[in-house]
Amino acid sequence: MHREPVQEPAGEVGGVIERVVGDVPAPRTHQVEHPDEAAERLARSAAKRAALVAGSLALPPGPLGVLTVLPDLYLIWQTQRQMVADIFALYGRGAELTRTHMMYCLFRHAASHVLRDVVVRSGQRFVVNQLSSRALSSAAGRIGAALSRRLLGSAASRWIPLAGAAAVSGYAYWDTLQVARTARRLLEQPSDIRERDAAASGHEA
C-alpha cells in the first residue's frame, strides 16, 4: 500500500522515457568544419529553450502546476533529443545515432548506475553496447524509478510561485548542458581523448 505513490510516478516517467528514446529525430544541422564551436553554441541555445519551457510550465501554482510536471519533462527531453541528433550531425556522425546512444546521452548524468555498462572504453574510442528493445524498455523503467524522486521534488516546487519556476528553469538549463557534454564525449576523436588524458596525468603529477 505504501509503495503505490512511488511506483506510479516511476512507471509514468519510464513510459515517457520509452516514447522519447523510441524515435531518433532527423537532424536539422549538417557536418561543419569546426564542430566543437558549433556544438557549444547549439547546446547553449537548446539549454535556453529547455529553461524557457520548464520555467513557463512551472509558473501555475498549486495543483495546476503539479499537472505540468510530466509534460514539462517530455518537452524538455524532446528538446534535448533533437539537440543530440543535431550535435551528431555536426560531427558527421548522424548515421551512427541509435536509440541506445540517445538514452545514454539523455540520462547518463542522472542515472549513471543504470547506464554504466552501456558505453565502454575500447582503446582510444568509446563503444556503445546496443540494447535490445526489451533491454531498452527495462532500462527506461529503471531510469524512471531513479528519476521519480526528482519528479516529486519538481512537483513540490510548483507550490512556490516564481521561486519554484526559477529553480526548475535553472535545473533544465544545467541538465541540457550535461546532455550535450555526454554527446560530445561520445564523439571525441582519439587525438582529443589522448590530449585530455595527458592533461589529466599532468595535473595528477
Side-chain angles (χ1 to χ4, degrees):
M1 294 293 294
H2 294 293
R3 297 181 62 184
E4 291 181 0
V6 176
Q7 293 294 329
E8 185 174 351
E12 291 178 354
V13 176
V16 173
I17 291 171
E18 279 198 78
R19 292 198 296 275
V20 169
V21 302
D23 178 34
V24 176
R28 292 186 277 196
T29 59
H30 54 81
Q31 186 173 4
V32 296
E33 186 175 353
H34 302 290
D36 289 341
E37 297 174 6
E40 180 68 23
R41 290 193 299 269
L42 191 150
R44 295 199 177 278
S45 177
K48 290 177 182 177
R49 289 197 301 275
L52 181 61
V53 168
S56 298
L57 289 176
L59 284 175
L64 182 59
V66 173
L67 293 175
T68 69
V69 173
L70 279 178
D72 177 353
L73 290 175
Y74 182 69
L75 290 174
I76 290 172
W77 289 339
Q78 276 194 316
T79 298
Q80 294 174 345
R81 179 182 68 178
Q82 185 64 57
M83 176 190 68
V84 170
D86 292 343
I87 288 176
F88 267 68
L90 288 175
Y91 287 83
R93 307 270 295 277
E96 299 176 24
L97 183 58
T98 66
R99 294 182 300 166
T100 303
H101 284 90
M102 188 64 73
M103 176 176 280
Y104 183 82
C105 290
L106 291 182
F107 304 108
R108 164 64 178 80
H109 65 286
S112 59
H113 62 290
V114 177
L115 297 169
R116 63 175 175 265
D117 296 326
V118 171
V119 172
V120 296
R121 184 79 167 269
S122 177
Q124 297 296 330
R125 291 186 178 276
F126 295 107
V127 177
V128 178
N129 294 322
Q130 298 300 326
L131 300 179
S132 66
S133 294
R134 184 174 180 178
L136 207 68
S137 178
S138 175
R142 293 168 63 196
I143 294 170
L147 297 184
S148 60
R149 292 181 182 178
R150 172 190 161 190
L151 174 62
L152 295 175
S154 183
S157 72
R158 263 61 174 182
W159 292 87
I160 309 172
L162 297 183
V168 171
S169 178
Y171 182 85
Y173 186 91
W174 175 86
D175 187 67
T176 303
L177 292 182
Q178 300 312 302
V179 173
R181 180 181 180 183
T182 300
R184 292 176 64 185
R185 181 176 174 83
L186 284 182
L187 295 168
E188 286 181 331
Q189 297 300 314
S191 59
D192 298 329
I193 297 172
R194 285 195 296 270
E195 288 172 6
R196 191 194 62 239
D197 289 348
S201 298
H203 287 306
E204 291 175 1

